[in-house]
Amino acid sequence: MIKWAGWLIVLFPGIGHTVGALVETAPDYADDWFSGEGWRADATAMNYAEATLWYTVFSFGVPFLLIGLMVLWLDRRGITPPAFLAGIVAGWTLITVAVGGPSPLLVLLIAAGLLLVGSRRAAARGNPETAAGMSIRTS
């Protein structure tokens, strides 16, 4: 479950949104981005170059990519991600859907559910790698 959740997070918003947005916008606006135009943005009057910078590399896709990779890294080491991570993923998803409308981002609710169930199962089994993500080692 944890591995599936990690891959869903990596693939959909992490790679899917970030790469998709870059493919869609970078050919037209990359020169403007590297000139620093995206940093001069007035949030109330952004031009396309500024808006597309925030739609791509400064969007939610990159943090979700990092969260997904962290979940996969923890899983490979037999460490259960903390349950609060499921809440963060679900909360962020619900807020973005409430503000922006239904989108493929809703798949992250499945990932959040998988993370939560995996965390609860690990805690119920009394896994020495606790659901809090803390490694308990005895020497």
Side-chain angles (χ1 to χ4, degrees):
M1 288 189 166
I2 302 295
K3 188 180 295 184
W4 277 101
W7 279 114
L8 285 173
I9 296 168
V10 165
L11 293 175
F12 279 85
I15 293 173
H17 174 79
T18 306
V19 172
L22 282 169
V23 167
E24 179 183 351
T25 60
D28 296 327
Y29 300 107
D31 289 341
D32 293 328
W33 298 344
F34 287 106
S35 74
E37 186 164 342
W39 296 108
R40 293 188 297 268
D42 173 1
T44 61
M46 283 189 184
N47 66 31
Y48 286 112
E50 295 162 341
T52 57
L53 177 66
W54 292 96
Y55 173 61
T56 57
V57 294
F58 292 110
S59 73
F60 62 86
V62 176
F64 269 123
L65 177 63
L66 297 174
I67 290 169
L69 290 173
M70 180 184 67
V71 166
L72 293 172
W73 183 87
L74 290 168
D75 182 65
R76 277 194 304 275
R77 283 152 183 79
I79 302 169
T80 303
F84 71 81
L85 193 58
I88 290 170
V89 170
W92 199 342
T93 302
L94 292 173
I95 289 169
T96 59
V97 168
V99 172
S103 75
L105 193 63
L106 284 169
V107 78
L108 289 179
L109 293 178
I110 296 169
L114 291 170
L115 282 171
L116 185 60
V117 170
S119 176
R120 303 274 183 201
R121 285 185 180 174
R125 284 192 306 263
N127 191 348
E129 303 294 336
T130 67
M134 304 277 295
S135 178
I136 300 172
R137 304 256 193 256
T138 56
S139 300

